[in-house]
Amino acid sequence: MVYLICFGISTAIIAFPVRGKKVRSMLVFLALMMPCILAGFRAISVGSDTGDYPLSLFKIAQYSDYITYLGSTFDHMWVRDYVYDMGIGYATFIYVIALFTEKYMVVLFLTEFVIVVCVFRAIFISLSQRYRWIGMLLFYFMYYNVTLNNMRQWMAMAILLLAFAHFIKRNKIWIVYALLGLAFHKTAVCGLLVFVVYYIVERMRLHPVRIDTRRYSGKVLMAFWIIMVCLIFIMHMGLTRRIMSMIGLSSFLNYFEGEIIFSKGRFLLEMPMVILIIANWKDMKQNPLRYFFLTFVLVNLICSQINTMNVLAWRISAYISEFTILVCPYIISLCKKRDKQIIEIISVCGYGLVYWMYYFYVQNLHQTLPYLMA
């Protein structure tokens, strides 16, 4: 399997300890180039969107000036769409590439390059050297094949992930990355909810509250109320849709059409993260982010049920689940017992492999198999 070979070699290079900053940088660059080259040389049949809107935009860009290009229309999902509807950031990205080359494989390569580099940079900022490979392996197993299909949204998601890494480090450049992500796909606004949750739980100064004889910190109460609000919105989608219309988010309503049907499969799929945080809760006692991690894991568990509404709904929950790439390795890094940590790493890697085999090999979601070269 070409995908698994690529994942394995790339991850091994990232994980391999090498002395010397220049040598290590060169090896990491080589490791990141592998999935980009794999994406660039694929046939247009690999990924259901590969031969759709990116190719249409690229063809239009080759024979138009920029203003004409943005106002042009093309067939997309049985309707006529304007180029600017694809997001000004993405449309400009395609146009700039078309100025220099007529080869579509360059578009595919550079698209994956942006995604992979942003994801790795977010991991680099958030995790220590010892655990970065776990984050990349989770990305490969759970999301790489998705990036070969939903290219535009995953560019937005990867940029937003990088924005969040800077946000938690209090680097103001996160604002630039967040705006850039929004320029690629309008649904990126949903990913900003994770920023809001982090701010409320970790940065708002809340006084402890005494209930009966027990004293609860402000973080515990805020985590509780965020989870309760999330449950209410999920259980009462009619209310959620009305609120969205009232605050100017009516353009997102098509992602929330239908009703949620409880899915045991989705519940079991997200449970390993819950088990992981419970298993390491004592070791996380002194870590200031533990209540954010707990909130994130439970909100992610709840929001995974959104996927049962319609075929587009998963695009919203993906903006939450993608943060697993950062949260999971971070929680593992806090484990104090070496033997226990090794078991957790093996379990997470096994989970990722089973996830990939089931969704991308057995079900062939996003139509990325068989892999064919252009």
Side-chain angles (χ1 to χ4, degrees), residues 253-286:
L253 290 178
N254 60 317
Y255 294 97
F256 292 90
E257 291 178 354
E259 296 299 326
I260 291 177
I261 302 171
F262 178 75
S263 169
K264 293 180 181 178
R266 296 301 310 181
F267 182 81
L268 293 174
L269 189 66
E270 303 299 339
M271 274 305 294
M273 279 294 295
V274 178
I275 296 171
L276 183 66
I277 198 168
I278 292 173
N280 291 286
W281 189 248
K282 288 185 178 180
D283 292 337
M284 297 169 62
K285 190 174 182 179
Q286 303 302 321

PDB file of all heavy atoms in Angstrom, residues 253-286:
ATOM      1  N   LEU A 253     -26.857  27.192   7.100  1.00  0.00           N
ATOM      2  CA  LEU A 253     -27.981  26.338   7.468  1.00  0.00           C
ATOM      3  C   LEU A 253     -28.024  25.031   6.687  1.00  0.00           C
ATOM      4  O   LEU A 253     -28.515  24.017   7.191  1.00  0.00           O
ATOM      5  CB  LEU A 253     -29.298  27.105   7.277  1.00  0.00           C
ATOM      6  CG  LEU A 253     -29.557  28.247   8.266  1.00  0.00           C
ATOM      7  CD1 LEU A 253     -30.854  28.954   7.936  1.00  0.00           C
ATOM      8  CD2 LEU A 253     -29.578  27.723   9.695  1.00  0.00           C
ATOM      9  N   ASN A 254     -27.501  25.032   5.440  1.00  0.00           N
ATOM     10  CA  ASN A 254     -27.532  23.796   4.658  1.00  0.00           C
ATOM     11  C   ASN A 254     -26.665  22.710   5.275  1.00  0.00           C
ATOM     12  O   ASN A 254     -26.861  21.520   5.027  1.00  0.00           O
ATOM     13  CB  ASN A 254     -27.098  24.063   3.216  1.00  0.00           C
ATOM     14  CG  ASN A 254     -25.690  24.621   3.126  1.00  0.00           C
ATOM     15  OD1 ASN A 254     -25.321  25.490   3.919  1.00  0.00           O
ATOM     16  ND2 ASN A 254     -24.918  24.165   2.161  1.00  0.00           N
ATOM     17  N   TYR A 255     -25.703  23.111   6.121  1.00  0.00           N
ATOM     18  CA  TYR A 255     -24.868  22.124   6.809  1.00  0.00           C
ATOM     19  C   TYR A 255     -25.604  21.495   7.991  1.00  0.00           C
ATOM     20  O   TYR A 255     -25.155  20.487   8.532  1.00  0.00           O
ATOM     21  CB  TYR A 255     -23.575  22.775   7.328  1.00  0.00           C
ATOM     22  CG  TYR A 255     -22.644  23.247   6.245  1.00  0.00           C
ATOM     23  CD1 TYR A 255     -22.635  24.582   5.836  1.00  0.00           C
ATOM     24  CD2 TYR A 255     -21.772  22.364   5.612  1.00  0.00           C
ATOM     25  CE1 TYR A 255     -21.779  25.023   4.842  1.00  0.00           C
ATOM     26  CE2 TYR A 255     -20.909  22.793   4.607  1.00  0.00           C
ATOM     27  CZ  TYR A 255     -20.914  24.131   4.233  1.00  0.00           C
ATOM     28  OH  TYR A 255     -20.072  24.559   3.248  1.00  0.00           O
ATOM     29  N   PHE A 256     -26.707  22.119   8.404  1.00  0.00           N
ATOM     30  CA  PHE A 256     -27.436  21.656   9.591  1.00  0.00           C
ATOM     31  C   PHE A 256     -28.848  21.192   9.249  1.00  0.00           C
ATOM     32  O   PHE A 256     -29.711  21.143  10.121  1.00  0.00           O
ATOM     33  CB  PHE A 256     -27.488  22.767  10.638  1.00  0.00           C
ATOM     34  CG  PHE A 256     -26.154  23.101  11.244  1.00  0.00           C
ATOM     35  CD1 PHE A 256     -25.348  24.073  10.661  1.00  0.00           C
ATOM     36  CD2 PHE A 256     -25.694  22.442  12.362  1.00  0.00           C
ATOM     37  CE1 PHE A 256     -24.109  24.381  11.203  1.00  0.00           C
ATOM     38  CE2 PHE A 256     -24.464  22.741  12.911  1.00  0.00           C
ATOM     39  CZ  PHE A 256     -23.659  23.710  12.328  1.00  0.00           C
ATOM     40  N   GLU A 257     -29.091  20.854   7.999  1.00  0.00           N
ATOM     41  CA  GLU A 257     -30.407  20.337   7.614  1.00  0.00           C
ATOM     42  C   GLU A 257     -30.566  18.896   8.072  1.00  0.00           C
ATOM     43  O   GLU A 257     -29.614  18.124   8.075  1.00  0.00           O
ATOM     44  CB  GLU A 257     -30.580  20.426   6.092  1.00  0.00           C
ATOM     45  CG  GLU A 257     -30.687  21.846   5.562  1.00  0.00           C
ATOM     46  CD  GLU A 257     -30.816  21.888   4.056  1.00  0.00           C
ATOM     47  OE1 GLU A 257     -30.696  20.813   3.434  1.00  0.00           O
ATOM     48  OE2 GLU A 257     -31.023  22.978   3.506  1.00  0.00           O
ATOM     49  N   GLY A 258     -31.791  18.546   8.463  1.00  0.00           N
ATOM     50  CA  GLY A 258     -32.046  17.192   8.930  1.00  0.00           C
ATOM     51  C   GLY A 258     -31.986  17.114  10.446  1.00  0.00           C
ATOM     52  O   GLY A 258     -31.835  18.121  11.136  1.00  0.00           O
ATOM     53  N   GLU A 259     -32.122  15.910  10.960  1.00  0.00           N
ATOM     54  CA  GLU A 259     -32.104  15.689  12.401  1.00  0.00           C
ATOM     55  C   GLU A 259     -30.977  14.732  12.777  1.00  0.00           C
ATOM     56  O   GLU A 259     -30.574  13.875  11.988  1.00  0.00           O
ATOM     57  CB  GLU A 259     -33.445  15.109  12.865  1.00  0.00           C
ATOM     58  CG  GLU A 259     -34.629  16.053  12.652  1.00  0.00           C
ATOM     59  CD  GLU A 259     -34.483  17.351  13.428  1.00  0.00           C
ATOM     60  OE1 GLU A 259     -33.917  17.299  14.541  1.00  0.00           O
ATOM     61  OE2 GLU A 259     -34.939  18.403  12.938  1.00  0.00           O
ATOM     62  N   ILE A 260     -30.499  14.890  13.986  1.00  0.00           N
ATOM     63  CA  ILE A 260     -29.415  14.043  14.474  1.00  0.00           C
ATOM     64  C   ILE A 260     -29.980  12.712  14.958  1.00  0.00           C
ATOM     65  O   ILE A 260     -30.963  12.666  15.692  1.00  0.00           O
ATOM     66  CB  ILE A 260     -28.655  14.739  15.622  1.00  0.00           C
ATOM     67  CG1 ILE A 260     -27.878  15.925  15.072  1.00  0.00           C
ATOM     68  CG2 ILE A 260     -27.708  13.763  16.331  1.00  0.00           C
ATOM     69  CD1 ILE A 260     -27.153  16.743  16.123  1.00  0.00           C
ATOM     70  N   ILE A 261     -29.363  11.645  14.501  1.00  0.00           N
ATOM     71  CA  ILE A 261     -29.710  10.291  14.942  1.00  0.00           C
ATOM     72  C   ILE A 261     -28.496   9.733  15.667  1.00  0.00           C
ATOM     73  O   ILE A 261     -27.395   9.690  15.100  1.00  0.00           O
ATOM     74  CB  ILE A 261     -30.081   9.384  13.745  1.00  0.00           C
ATOM     75  CG1 ILE A 261     -31.243   9.995  12.969  1.00  0.00           C
ATOM     76  CG2 ILE A 261     -30.430   7.978  14.229  1.00  0.00           C
ATOM     77  CD1 ILE A 261     -31.534   9.283  11.664  1.00  0.00           C
ATOM     78  N   PHE A 262     -28.674   9.326  16.909  1.00  0.00           N
ATOM     79  CA  PHE A 262     -27.529   8.857  17.696  1.00  0.00           C
ATOM     80  C   PHE A 262     -26.816   7.711  16.978  1.00  0.00           C
ATOM     81  O   PHE A 262     -27.427   6.724  16.568  1.00  0.00           O
ATOM     82  CB  PHE A 262     -27.974   8.403  19.080  1.00  0.00           C
ATOM     83  CG  PHE A 262     -26.838   7.873  19.913  1.00  0.00           C
ATOM     84  CD1 PHE A 262     -25.905   8.732  20.479  1.00  0.00           C
ATOM     85  CD2 PHE A 262     -26.681   6.506  20.107  1.00  0.00           C
ATOM     86  CE1 PHE A 262     -24.849   8.245  21.233  1.00  0.00           C
ATOM     87  CE2 PHE A 262     -25.625   6.007  20.870  1.00  0.00           C
ATOM     88  CZ  PHE A 262     -24.709   6.881  21.433  1.00  0.00           C
ATOM     89  N   SER A 263     -25.512   7.869  16.817  1.00  0.00           N
ATOM     90  CA  SER A 263     -24.690   6.871  16.134  1.00  0.00           C
ATOM     91  C   SER A 263     -23.737   6.215  17.131  1.00  0.00           C
ATOM     92  O   SER A 263     -22.855   6.874  17.681  1.00  0.00           O
ATOM     93  CB  SER A 263     -23.890   7.532  14.999  1.00  0.00           C
ATOM     94  OG  SER A 263     -22.918   6.644  14.490  1.00  0.00           O
ATOM     95  N   LYS A 264     -23.933   4.927  17.363  1.00  0.00           N
ATOM     96  CA  LYS A 264     -23.033   4.192  18.249  1.00  0.00           C
ATOM     97  C   LYS A 264     -21.614   4.165  17.673  1.00  0.00           C
ATOM     98  O   LYS A 264     -20.631   4.228  18.412  1.00  0.00           O
ATOM     99  CB  LYS A 264     -23.538   2.768  18.453  1.00  0.00           C
ATOM    100  CG  LYS A 264     -24.843   2.678  19.229  1.00  0.00           C
ATOM    101  CD  LYS A 264     -25.278   1.224  19.393  1.00  0.00           C
ATOM    102  CE  LYS A 264     -26.586   1.127  20.150  1.00  0.00           C
ATOM    103  NZ  LYS A 264     -27.048  -0.283  20.276  1.00  0.00           N
ATOM    104  N   GLY A 265     -21.549   4.077  16.336  1.00  0.00           N
ATOM    105  CA  GLY A 265     -20.242   4.022  15.674  1.00  0.00           C
ATOM    106  C   GLY A 265     -19.430   5.275  15.933  1.00  0.00           C
ATOM    107  O   GLY A 265     -18.245   5.205  16.287  1.00  0.00           O
ATOM    108  N   ARG A 266     -20.065   6.451  15.759  1.00  0.00           N
ATOM    109  CA  ARG A 266     -19.357   7.706  15.993  1.00  0.00           C
ATOM    110  C   ARG A 266     -18.989   7.857  17.471  1.00  0.00           C
ATOM    111  O   ARG A 266     -17.916   8.359  17.814  1.00  0.00           O
ATOM    112  CB  ARG A 266     -20.224   8.891  15.575  1.00  0.00           C
ATOM    113  CG  ARG A 266     -20.561   8.977  14.113  1.00  0.00           C
ATOM    114  CD  ARG A 266     -19.341   9.059  13.224  1.00  0.00           C
ATOM    115  NE  ARG A 266     -18.378  10.068  13.622  1.00  0.00           N
ATOM    116  CZ  ARG A 266     -17.256  10.318  12.972  1.00  0.00           C
ATOM    117  NH1 ARG A 266     -16.940   9.581  11.909  1.00  0.00           N
ATOM    118  NH2 ARG A 266     -16.421  11.251  13.382  1.00  0.00           N
ATOM    119  N   PHE A 267     -19.888   7.400  18.342  1.00  0.00           N
ATOM    120  CA  PHE A 267     -19.622   7.474  19.774  1.00  0.00           C
ATOM    121  C   PHE A 267     -18.397   6.631  20.142  1.00  0.00           C
ATOM    122  O   PHE A 267     -17.492   7.102  20.842  1.00  0.00           O
ATOM    123  CB  PHE A 267     -20.850   6.988  20.545  1.00  0.00           C
ATOM    124  CG  PHE A 267     -20.712   7.074  22.036  1.00  0.00           C
ATOM    125  CD1 PHE A 267     -20.922   8.273  22.695  1.00  0.00           C
ATOM    126  CD2 PHE A 267     -20.364   5.950  22.778  1.00  0.00           C
ATOM    127  CE1 PHE A 267     -20.790   8.359  24.075  1.00  0.00           C
ATOM    128  CE2 PHE A 267     -20.227   6.026  24.157  1.00  0.00           C
ATOM    129  CZ  PHE A 267     -20.443   7.230  24.810  1.00  0.00           C
ATOM    130  N   LEU A 268     -18.360   5.400  19.649  1.00  0.00           N
ATOM    131  CA  LEU A 268     -17.237   4.511  19.951  1.00  0.00           C
ATOM    132  C   LEU A 268     -15.949   5.009  19.319  1.00  0.00           C
ATOM    133  O   LEU A 268     -14.859   4.807  19.869  1.00  0.00           O
ATOM    134  CB  LEU A 268     -17.547   3.093  19.461  1.00  0.00           C
ATOM    135  CG  LEU A 268     -18.684   2.359  20.191  1.00  0.00           C
ATOM    136  CD1 LEU A 268     -18.992   1.030  19.504  1.00  0.00           C
ATOM    137  CD2 LEU A 268     -18.319   2.129  21.659  1.00  0.00           C
ATOM    138  N   LEU A 269     -16.062   5.681  18.167  1.00  0.00           N
ATOM    139  CA  LEU A 269     -14.892   6.201  17.462  1.00  0.00           C
ATOM    140  C   LEU A 269     -14.182   7.281  18.277  1.00  0.00           C
ATOM    141  O   LEU A 269     -12.949   7.379  18.241  1.00  0.00           O
ATOM    142  CB  LEU A 269     -15.320   6.774  16.107  1.00  0.00           C
ATOM    143  CG  LEU A 269     -14.212   7.181  15.139  1.00  0.00           C
ATOM    144  CD1 LEU A 269     -13.430   5.966  14.679  1.00  0.00           C
ATOM    145  CD2 LEU A 269     -14.793   7.915  13.948  1.00  0.00           C
ATOM    146  N   GLU A 270     -14.944   8.080  19.018  1.00  0.00           N
ATOM    147  CA  GLU A 270     -14.360   9.176  19.794  1.00  0.00           C
ATOM    148  C   GLU A 270     -14.044   8.783  21.240  1.00  0.00           C
ATOM    149  O   GLU A 270     -13.340   9.522  21.934  1.00  0.00           O
ATOM    150  CB  GLU A 270     -15.322  10.384  19.797  1.00  0.00           C
ATOM    151  CG  GLU A 270     -15.694  10.908  18.426  1.00  0.00           C
ATOM    152  CD  GLU A 270     -14.491  11.400  17.621  1.00  0.00           C
ATOM    153  OE1 GLU A 270     -13.443  11.706  18.235  1.00  0.00           O
ATOM    154  OE2 GLU A 270     -14.608  11.474  16.387  1.00  0.00           O
ATOM    155  N   MET A 271     -14.529   7.637  21.695  1.00  0.00           N
ATOM    156  CA  MET A 271     -14.327   7.219  23.074  1.00  0.00           C
ATOM    157  C   MET A 271     -12.860   7.020  23.469  1.00  0.00           C
ATOM    158  O   MET A 271     -12.497   7.275  24.635  1.00  0.00           O
ATOM    159  CB  MET A 271     -15.114   5.943  23.365  1.00  0.00           C
ATOM    160  CG  MET A 271     -16.554   6.195  23.783  1.00  0.00           C
ATOM    161  SD  MET A 271     -16.708   7.301  25.208  1.00  0.00           S
ATOM    162  CE  MET A 271     -15.956   6.308  26.500  1.00  0.00           C
ATOM    163  N   PRO A 272     -11.992   6.535  22.563  1.00  0.00           N
ATOM    164  CA  PRO A 272     -10.580   6.383  22.964  1.00  0.00           C
ATOM    165  C   PRO A 272      -9.952   7.656  23.518  1.00  0.00           C
ATOM    166  O   PRO A 272      -9.129   7.590  24.429  1.00  0.00           O
ATOM    167  CB  PRO A 272      -9.902   5.942  21.656  1.00  0.00           C
ATOM    168  CG  PRO A 272     -10.963   5.192  20.929  1.00  0.00           C
ATOM    169  CD  PRO A 272     -12.225   5.948  21.228  1.00  0.00           C
ATOM    170  N   MET A 273     -10.343   8.826  23.004  1.00  0.00           N
ATOM    171  CA  MET A 273      -9.816  10.090  23.517  1.00  0.00           C
ATOM    172  C   MET A 273     -10.305  10.340  24.940  1.00  0.00           C
ATOM    173  O   MET A 273      -9.569  10.854  25.790  1.00  0.00           O
ATOM    174  CB  MET A 273     -10.230  11.249  22.606  1.00  0.00           C
ATOM    175  CG  MET A 273      -9.371  11.394  21.370  1.00  0.00           C
ATOM    176  SD  MET A 273      -7.667  11.855  21.756  1.00  0.00           S
ATOM    177  CE  MET A 273      -7.902  13.485  22.460  1.00  0.00           C
ATOM    178  N   VAL A 274     -11.561   9.964  25.206  1.00  0.00           N
ATOM    179  CA  VAL A 274     -12.112  10.110  26.552  1.00  0.00           C
ATOM    180  C   VAL A 274     -11.356   9.191  27.514  1.00  0.00           C
ATOM    181  O   VAL A 274     -10.972   9.592  28.622  1.00  0.00           O
ATOM    182  CB  VAL A 274     -13.620   9.778  26.568  1.00  0.00           C
ATOM    183  CG1 VAL A 274     -14.178   9.894  27.990  1.00  0.00           C
ATOM    184  CG2 VAL A 274     -14.379  10.697  25.625  1.00  0.00           C
ATOM    185  N   ILE A 275     -11.129   7.967  27.074  1.00  0.00           N
ATOM    186  CA  ILE A 275     -10.391   6.998  27.900  1.00  0.00           C
ATOM    187  C   ILE A 275      -8.967   7.487  28.156  1.00  0.00           C
ATOM    188  O   ILE A 275      -8.450   7.362  29.272  1.00  0.00           O
ATOM    189  CB  ILE A 275     -10.370   5.612  27.212  1.00  0.00           C
ATOM    190  CG1 ILE A 275     -11.793   5.051  27.114  1.00  0.00           C
ATOM    191  CG2 ILE A 275      -9.459   4.644  27.964  1.00  0.00           C
ATOM    192  CD1 ILE A 275     -11.903   3.803  26.265  1.00  0.00           C
ATOM    193  N   LEU A 276      -8.354   8.059  27.142  1.00  0.00           N
ATOM    194  CA  LEU A 276      -6.978   8.550  27.267  1.00  0.00           C
ATOM    195  C   LEU A 276      -6.874   9.654  28.315  1.00  0.00           C
ATOM    196  O   LEU A 276      -5.949   9.654  29.137  1.00  0.00           O
ATOM    197  CB  LEU A 276      -6.479   9.061  25.909  1.00  0.00           C
ATOM    198  CG  LEU A 276      -5.028   9.554  25.849  1.00  0.00           C
ATOM    199  CD1 LEU A 276      -4.068   8.404  26.089  1.00  0.00           C
ATOM    200  CD2 LEU A 276      -4.742  10.207  24.491  1.00  0.00           C
ATOM    201  N   ILE A 277      -7.808  10.586  28.294  1.00  0.00           N
ATOM    202  CA  ILE A 277      -7.733  11.703  29.251  1.00  0.00           C
ATOM    203  C   ILE A 277      -8.068  11.237  30.668  1.00  0.00           C
ATOM    204  O   ILE A 277      -7.489  11.717  31.649  1.00  0.00           O
ATOM    205  CB  ILE A 277      -8.641  12.873  28.812  1.00  0.00           C
ATOM    206  CG1 ILE A 277      -8.207  14.163  29.540  1.00  0.00           C
ATOM    207  CG2 ILE A 277     -10.107  12.580  29.077  1.00  0.00           C
ATOM    208  CD1 ILE A 277      -8.842  15.412  28.981  1.00  0.00           C
ATOM    209  N   ILE A 278      -8.966  10.264  30.799  1.00  0.00           N
ATOM    210  CA  ILE A 278      -9.276   9.706  32.119  1.00  0.00           C
ATOM    211  C   ILE A 278      -8.060   8.967  32.681  1.00  0.00           C
ATOM    212  O   ILE A 278      -7.723   9.108  33.864  1.00  0.00           O
ATOM    213  CB  ILE A 278     -10.496   8.756  32.045  1.00  0.00           C
ATOM    214  CG1 ILE A 278     -11.769   9.558  31.732  1.00  0.00           C
ATOM    215  CG2 ILE A 278     -10.658   7.977  33.346  1.00  0.00           C
ATOM    216  CD1 ILE A 278     -12.985   8.696  31.464  1.00  0.00           C
ATOM    217  N   ALA A 279      -7.388   8.206  31.813  1.00  0.00           N
ATOM    218  CA  ALA A 279      -6.225   7.425  32.234  1.00  0.00           C
ATOM    219  C   ALA A 279      -5.077   8.314  32.705  1.00  0.00           C
ATOM    220  O   ALA A 279      -4.257   7.895  33.533  1.00  0.00           O
ATOM    221  CB  ALA A 279      -5.758   6.522  31.091  1.00  0.00           C
ATOM    222  N   ASN A 280      -5.009   9.560  32.184  1.00  0.00           N
ATOM    223  CA  ASN A 280      -3.906  10.458  32.524  1.00  0.00           C
ATOM    224  C   ASN A 280      -4.325  11.634  33.401  1.00  0.00           C
ATOM    225  O   ASN A 280      -3.545  12.565  33.588  1.00  0.00           O
ATOM    226  CB  ASN A 280      -3.257  10.984  31.232  1.00  0.00           C
ATOM    227  CG  ASN A 280      -2.519   9.908  30.472  1.00  0.00           C
ATOM    228  OD1 ASN A 280      -1.437   9.479  30.856  1.00  0.00           O
ATOM    229  ND2 ASN A 280      -3.113   9.453  29.378  1.00  0.00           N
ATOM    230  N   TRP A 281      -5.542  11.588  33.927  1.00  0.00           N
ATOM    231  CA  TRP A 281      -6.065  12.733  34.661  1.00  0.00           C
ATOM    232  C   TRP A 281      -5.209  13.097  35.880  1.00  0.00           C
ATOM    233  O   TRP A 281      -4.937  14.281  36.131  1.00  0.00           O
ATOM    234  CB  TRP A 281      -7.509  12.468  35.094  1.00  0.00           C
ATOM    235  CG  TRP A 281      -8.175  13.675  35.667  1.00  0.00           C
ATOM    236  CD1 TRP A 281      -8.563  13.883  36.966  1.00  0.00           C
ATOM    237  CD2 TRP A 281      -8.538  14.877  34.970  1.00  0.00           C
ATOM    238  NE1 TRP A 281      -9.139  15.112  37.110  1.00  0.00           N
ATOM    239  CE2 TRP A 281      -9.147  15.752  35.896  1.00  0.00           C
ATOM    240  CE3 TRP A 281      -8.410  15.292  33.641  1.00  0.00           C
ATOM    241  CZ2 TRP A 281      -9.611  17.014  35.557  1.00  0.00           C
ATOM    242  CZ3 TRP A 281      -8.879  16.551  33.288  1.00  0.00           C
ATOM    243  CH2 TRP A 281      -9.464  17.396  34.236  1.00  0.00           C
ATOM    244  N   LYS A 282      -4.760  12.101  36.621  1.00  0.00           N
ATOM    245  CA  LYS A 282      -3.928  12.374  37.797  1.00  0.00           C
ATOM    246  C   LYS A 282      -2.586  12.990  37.400  1.00  0.00           C
ATOM    247  O   LYS A 282      -2.084  13.886  38.078  1.00  0.00           O
ATOM    248  CB  LYS A 282      -3.712  11.100  38.592  1.00  0.00           C
ATOM    249  CG  LYS A 282      -4.948  10.615  39.343  1.00  0.00           C
ATOM    250  CD  LYS A 282      -4.624   9.411  40.199  1.00  0.00           C
ATOM    251  CE  LYS A 282      -5.856   8.958  40.977  1.00  0.00           C
ATOM    252  NZ  LYS A 282      -5.564   7.766  41.831  1.00  0.00           N
ATOM    253  N   ASP A 283      -2.021  12.498  36.303  1.00  0.00           N
ATOM    254  CA  ASP A 283      -0.737  13.041  35.839  1.00  0.00           C
ATOM    255  C   ASP A 283      -0.878  14.467  35.317  1.00  0.00           C
ATOM    256  O   ASP A 283       0.108  15.200  35.219  1.00  0.00           O
ATOM    257  CB  ASP A 283      -0.153  12.149  34.737  1.00  0.00           C
ATOM    258  CG  ASP A 283       0.267  10.781  35.260  1.00  0.00           C
ATOM    259  OD1 ASP A 283       0.521  10.681  36.478  1.00  0.00           O
ATOM    260  OD2 ASP A 283       0.343   9.835  34.471  1.00  0.00           O
ATOM    261  N   MET A 284      -2.109  14.844  34.965  1.00  0.00           N
ATOM    262  CA  MET A 284      -2.365  16.178  34.427  1.00  0.00           C
ATOM    263  C   MET A 284      -2.726  17.184  35.518  1.00  0.00           C
ATOM    264  O   MET A 284      -3.043  18.338  35.212  1.00  0.00           O
ATOM    265  CB  MET A 284      -3.516  16.122  33.406  1.00  0.00           C
ATOM    266  CG  MET A 284      -3.220  15.269  32.188  1.00  0.00           C
ATOM    267  SD  MET A 284      -4.696  14.965  31.189  1.00  0.00           S
ATOM    268  CE  MET A 284      -5.128  16.627  30.697  1.00  0.00           C
ATOM    269  N   LYS A 285      -2.660  16.749  36.776  1.00  0.00           N
ATOM    270  CA  LYS A 285      -3.134  17.573  37.885  1.00  0.00           C
ATOM    271  C   LYS A 285      -2.486  18.946  37.925  1.00  0.00           C
ATOM    272  O   LYS A 285      -3.138  19.956  38.212  1.00  0.00           O
ATOM    273  CB  LYS A 285      -2.908  16.843  39.199  1.00  0.00           C
ATOM    274  CG  LYS A 285      -3.578  17.512  40.387  1.00  0.00           C
ATOM    275  CD  LYS A 285      -3.442  16.668  41.640  1.00  0.00           C
ATOM    276  CE  LYS A 285      -4.169  17.333  42.807  1.00  0.00           C
ATOM    277  NZ  LYS A 285      -4.067  16.514  44.042  1.00  0.00           N
ATOM    278  N   GLN A 286      -1.206  19.016  37.639  1.00  0.00           N
ATOM    279  CA  GLN A 286      -0.479  20.277  37.705  1.00  0.00           C
ATOM    280  C   GLN A 286      -0.451  21.032  36.374  1.00  0.00           C
ATOM    281  O   GLN A 286       0.121  22.119  36.293  1.00  0.00           O
ATOM    282  CB  GLN A 286       0.966  20.023  38.175  1.00  0.00           C
ATOM    283  CG  GLN A 286       1.067  19.324  39.517  1.00  0.00           C
ATOM    284  CD  GLN A 286       0.374  20.090  40.630  1.00  0.00           C
ATOM    285  OE1 GLN A 286       0.440  21.316  40.688  1.00  0.00           O
ATOM    286  NE2 GLN A 286      -0.296  19.369  41.526  1.00  0.00           N
TER     287      GLN A 286
END
